[in-house]
Amino acid sequence: MPTQASTSQVDWLADSWRRCQLAGLNESKTPENIRLNNEQLDERRAQAAKLIELVEQFAVPLFNQVFAGTNSRLLLGDTEGVIIKAWGQVRFEKRLTAISLESGVCWQEGVKGTNAIGNALTEKQFITVVGDQHFIRQHRFISCSAGPVFSAAGELLGVLDITSEQQVHSEQTRLLVQNMVQLIENALLCQLPDAMMRIDLACDKALLQTGWQGVLVADEEGRILAHNTVAERLLGQTQVLGRQLDEIMADTRKGAFEAQSLIFAKHRIMPASVSGYRHANTLSPSCPLHYGDDRVERAWQQACKLIEKDISLLVLGETGVGKGEFVKQLHRHSSRRHAPLVAVNCGALPPSLIESELFGYVPGAFTGASRQGQQGRIRQADKGILFLDEIADMPLTAQTRLLHVLQEKEVIPVGANQPVSVDIRIIAATHKNLAEAVAQGHFREDLYYRLNGLILTLPALRERQDKAALTEAILRQYCDTAMSVCPLLAARMASYHWPGNIRELDNTLKVAAVLAEGEAELTQAHLPQHLVAQLPDATVNESSGSASKLEATISETLLDTYRANDGNISRTAKVLGISRNTLYRRLRKMGMAS
């Protein structure tokens, strides 16, 4: 019988072993494998693309941080217990391959015996299976913790699992999985149609940004659309759906709920972050990706009109300006939003595989081909949108075949004689100069003119008119709404050239918000030092009234900090996040130092 770690596990674990025996499984015998072929696995991954994206944003970084260098793997299973994606140590992957704990294999309880993935699905709860608790003896060198992932409507979406060698497994792993799942489910809440506001709530301010906080999601009028299970517990399981946020906050002040000292933090749902993707049922008259930049708004309005026509779009811009996010939002606001958005990074696929990946192939088309053939990404995008990122890196042979797809609206799989009709819109993107690539013979001229029905150029962050508002909006995604950027830091950040564009700004603010630890103001002391060293000194135009006001604010902030630290130059410079020489120079300018 299995080793039972706690009383709470006794019932389900004993029941699971009994079911395994009734299913005819043998502890000493290697169970059979139910394995998907490559095409079937690709289809399941396409169906779970949004879940995979959220796992890669919220779970994979935590996993890499906590389990770096250990024999551990992070596994994502679908609703049928099929592993569709895996991350972690390559050397440990080989050991798990020996028991078929890998992508494409089904790990339902009735097939593989008692295991965390299968039992998290059957029990609909977080499950830990340690060593000898596995029914199959061959599996007892591992320990696993898994939790089911549910949509805002309570629909089961999949299961997230961490598998480790027995000696490195602990209760902390189960808590980590639970935290990962909560972060993913919180993000899913914000993707509801009409979701415009996220409200975090907790009994203590320190818990608001931990992933363990309660979350409410409201529409523009403040009507509650959804909430997570933590919010349900904090509000005493009171019915809040459809109620107004102001009413709930008023009831809290009156002590109507069990948790009488709840703290609320409101956030506008931000399209620029995965956690804040906004859906819409009709085309938006305003772009959800900017806060007052004319160039982004103009590109958005043009793209919204042309995406409904049979006209290809070419999105240009430096790396990190948000080309991929622009396309995702365009898909969500288009009439094709219910069909797939299939993204292909042309620069990430080996030249030998790109044709079979894009166009698919028939059974036996080449050595090593699947016996069932493969549909290909173009056919997967039928009735939807095909997004070809880094199009400049597509090999010339694939360019020729893509040109045929654009011209004839049909695709010929590798090894096939008959074409297959497709109904797709194609959006291409690149940070390279395609016209120059054409001149150098690296890109087909006829394909170039087929792709650039409309060229949309997204501005670099340094060129945008809404840098300050964008910075504040992104910051609100990672901290309490009360936090603002201090004037001195805002001025220096506004003058920085941001070579990594919005991606660099987003990563910087994410780190800074954590280092600020809930303080009211973000200062240079909270930024990574390598970035502070690159920030230019804030410069102002004295002839400008607004600039003079900014200079006065900066000087006031500097003096207040200087006096608060009793004139200590080293401490003041450290708090402000500037060098001692810069501080001396500004103090001399104000007559405060010789």
Side-chain angles (χ1 to χ4, degrees):
M1 283 295 292
T3 301
Q4 294 165 342
S6 66
T7 304
S8 62
Q9 286 191 334
V10 172
D11 291 340
W12 77 259
L13 190 56
D15 289 344
S16 175
W17 273 56
R18 281 192 292 270
R19 288 194 299 268
C20 293
Q21 292 164 344
L22 290 173
L25 296 176
N26 188 320
E27 294 182 46
S28 304
K29 186 177 179 180
T30 301
E32 66 173 317
N33 289 328
I34 297 178
R35 187 187 300 271
L36 303 186
N37 60 41
N38 290 337
E39 182 178 1
Q40 292 170 328
L41 180 58
D42 286 343
E43 289 178 356
R44 297 216 179 192
R45 284 174 173 170
Q47 293 168 359
K50 175 50 58 183
L51 180 58
I52 292 172
E53 184 179 354
L54 292 175
V55 169
E56 288 179 337
Q57 183 186 8
F58 293 104
V60 173
L62 283 173
F63 173 81
N64 289 339
Q65 178 75 16
V66 176
F67 289 91
T70 69
N71 285 346
S72 301
R73 296 279 285 171
L74 178 66
L75 307 171
L76 177 64
D78 66 10
T79 56
E80 295 182 344
V82 175
I83 299 173
I84 56 176
K85 197 77 173 176
W87 302 263
Q89 277 285 358
V90 175
R91 66 170 182 266
F92 190 49
E93 177 185 10
K94 295 177 180 178
R95 291 201 65 189
L96 297 183
T97 301
I99 60 172
S100 299
L101 191 58
E102 57 185 327
S103 294
V105 179
C106 177
W107 273 74
Q108 290 181 10
E109 179 196 69
V111 177
K112 293 293 186 180
T114 304
N115 71 89
I117 292 175
N119 287 97
L121 291 174
T122 59
E123 303 295 329
K124 301 292 190 298
Q125 66 178 15
F126 289 90
I127 293 292
T128 296
V129 181
V130 179
D132 290 344
Q133 293 175 345
H134 289 91
F135 184 80
I136 302 298
R137 186 171 291 122
Q138 188 185 9
H139 301 162
R140 294 176 186 170
F141 74 97
I142 59 174
S143 293
C144 315
S145 289
V149 181
F150 293 96
S151 71
E155 175 191 7
L156 181 64
L157 300 178
V159 57
L160 193 65
D161 169 90
I162 291 180
T163 292
S164 311
E165 282 195 313
Q166 192 170 343
Q167 61 267 31
V168 298
H169 191 81
S170 67
E171 179 63 19
Q172 289 180 334
T173 305
R174 183 182 183 279
L175 293 174
L176 182 64
V177 173
Q178 190 170 355
N179 186 229
M180 290 174 175
V181 169
Q182 287 183 181
L183 290 171
I184 293 166
E185 291 181 344
N186 290 347
L188 287 167
L189 289 176
C190 297
Q191 297 179 15
L192 289 171
D194 301 324
M196 297 297 293
M197 187 186 306
R198 166 177 167 157
I199 305 93
D200 292 338
L201 57 152
C203 295
D204 189 288
K205 185 177 180 180
L207 297 173
L208 284 174
Q209 301 298 319
T210 61
W212 297 94
Q213 73 270 30
V215 174
L216 303 171
V217 173
D219 61 15
E220 189 67 54
E221 285 72 41
R223 183 172 59 91
I224 303 301
L225 302 174
H227 56 74
N228 66 0
T229 55
V230 178
E232 186 178 29
R233 289 197 299 270
L234 290 173
L235 297 174
Q237 298 185 341
T238 305
Q239 177 58 253
V240 297
L241 294 182
R243 294 186 61 193
Q244 291 293 315
L245 174 62
D246 291 343
E247 295 177 6
I248 295 170
M249 296 178 70
D251 286 347
T252 301
R253 290 190 291 271
K254 296 174 185 176
F257 304 123
E258 294 178 13
Q260 297 184 18
S261 59
L262 287 178
I263 298 171
F264 291 79
K266 300 180 186 178
H267 311 268
R268 294 290 295 182
I269 289 180
M270 277 280 295
S273 168
V274 171
S275 64
Y277 279 149
R278 177 185 172 188
H279 293 246
N281 296 318
T282 58
L283 291 180
S284 171
S286 179
C287 177
L289 294 170
H290 75 94
Y291 293 84
D293 186 87
D294 293 340
R295 291 175 62 183
V296 178
E297 178 64 27
R298 184 166 58 253
W300 173 258
Q301 294 294 346
Q302 293 176 344
C304 281
K305 293 177 181 178
L306 269 67
I307 195 63
E308 303 303 329
K309 310 297 181 183
D310 189 15
I311 300 175
S312 297
L313 300 177
L314 179 59
V315 185
L316 304 179
E318 296 177 8
T319 299
V321 298
K323 298 186 293 293
E325 187 60 40
F326 186 91
V327 174
K328 290 175 185 176
Q329 287 297 326
L330 188 58
H331 172 250
R332 288 187 173 87
H333 287 78
S334 77
S335 62
R336 292 176 173 252
R337 61 185 173 275
H338 300 301
L341 168 65
V342 178
V344 179
N345 188 326
C346 300
L349 291 174
S352 59
L353 295 179
I354 193 166
E355 288 198 48
S356 60
E357 283 288 328
L358 277 177
F359 308 105
Y361 57 83
V362 298
F366 49 85
T367 303
S370 167
R371 288 179 296 178
Q372 288 77 30
Q374 183 166 300
Q375 186 180 38
R377 308 307 294 276
I378 292 176
R379 290 170 63 188
Q380 288 176 4
D382 189 39
K383 303 294 188 298
I385 296 174
L386 178 68
F387 175 39
L388 299 174
D389 199 9
E390 302 300 343
I391 186 68
D393 297 323
M394 178 178 282
L396 285 169
T397 53
Q399 292 178 31
T400 303
R401 292 171 62 85
L402 178 62
L403 181 62
H404 176 83
V405 174
L406 287 167
Q407 290 174 334
E408 307 299 333
K409 295 294 182 281
E410 61 183 26
V411 59
I412 303 177
V414 177
N417 296 319
Q418 297 297 320
V420 180
S421 297
V422 289
D423 173 16
I424 57 174
R425 294 285 184 269
I426 291 184
I427 304 177
T430 181
H431 69 281
K432 296 182 179 180
N433 188 325
L434 267 190
E436 185 177 301
V438 169
Q440 295 174 350
H442 300 316
F443 201 85
R444 289 183 62 106
E445 185 176 20
D446 47 5
L447 177 59
Y448 173 62
Y449 288 113
R450 276 285 180 177
L451 290 172
N452 69 352
L454 175 65
I455 296 178
L456 304 169
T457 302
L458 300 183
L461 177 58
R462 62 183 174 275
E463 300 169 353
R464 288 183 58 152
Q465 302 165 322
D466 59 347
K467 288 195 295 290
L470 182 64
T471 298
E472 294 283 355
I474 294 175
L475 181 60
R476 285 197 298 271
Q477 293 300 298
Y478 301 118
C479 66
D480 192 335
T481 52
M483 183 179 290
S484 60
V485 181
C486 83
L488 180 60
L489 175 57
R492 295 189 72 189
M493 290 177 68
S495 301
Y496 181 52
H497 63 290
W498 295 105
N501 289 295
I502 296 176
R503 184 180 298 133
E504 182 184 8
L505 175 63
D506 184 84
N507 288 336
T508 297
L509 293 175
K510 184 186 298 184
V511 172
V514 173
L515 296 178
E517 296 179 335
E519 295 181 19
E521 190 174 62
L522 193 71
T523 70
Q524 293 166 126
H526 303 131
L527 264 62
Q529 287 305 303
H530 72 275
L531 178 63
V532 174
Q534 299 178 57
L535 292 179
D537 287 340
T539 58
V540 295
N541 182 353
E542 296 295 343
S543 64
S544 166
S546 60
S548 299
K549 184 177 180 181
L550 175 62
E551 172 69 16
T553 302
I554 293 173
S555 298
E556 183 180 350
T557 300
L558 187 147
L559 283 175
D560 287 346
T561 307
Y562 179 66
R563 289 164 180 157
N565 286 278
D566 298 323
N568 186 298
I569 293 293
S570 296
R571 285 203 304 268
T572 303
K574 184 176 181 181
V575 169
L576 292 172
I578 60 178
S579 69
R580 288 163 53 93
N581 289 337
T582 298
L583 179 58
Y584 271 124
R585 186 165 61 251
R586 294 197 67 87
L587 287 172
R588 281 198 297 269
K589 185 178 178 180
M590 292 184 289
M592 297 293 293
S594 57

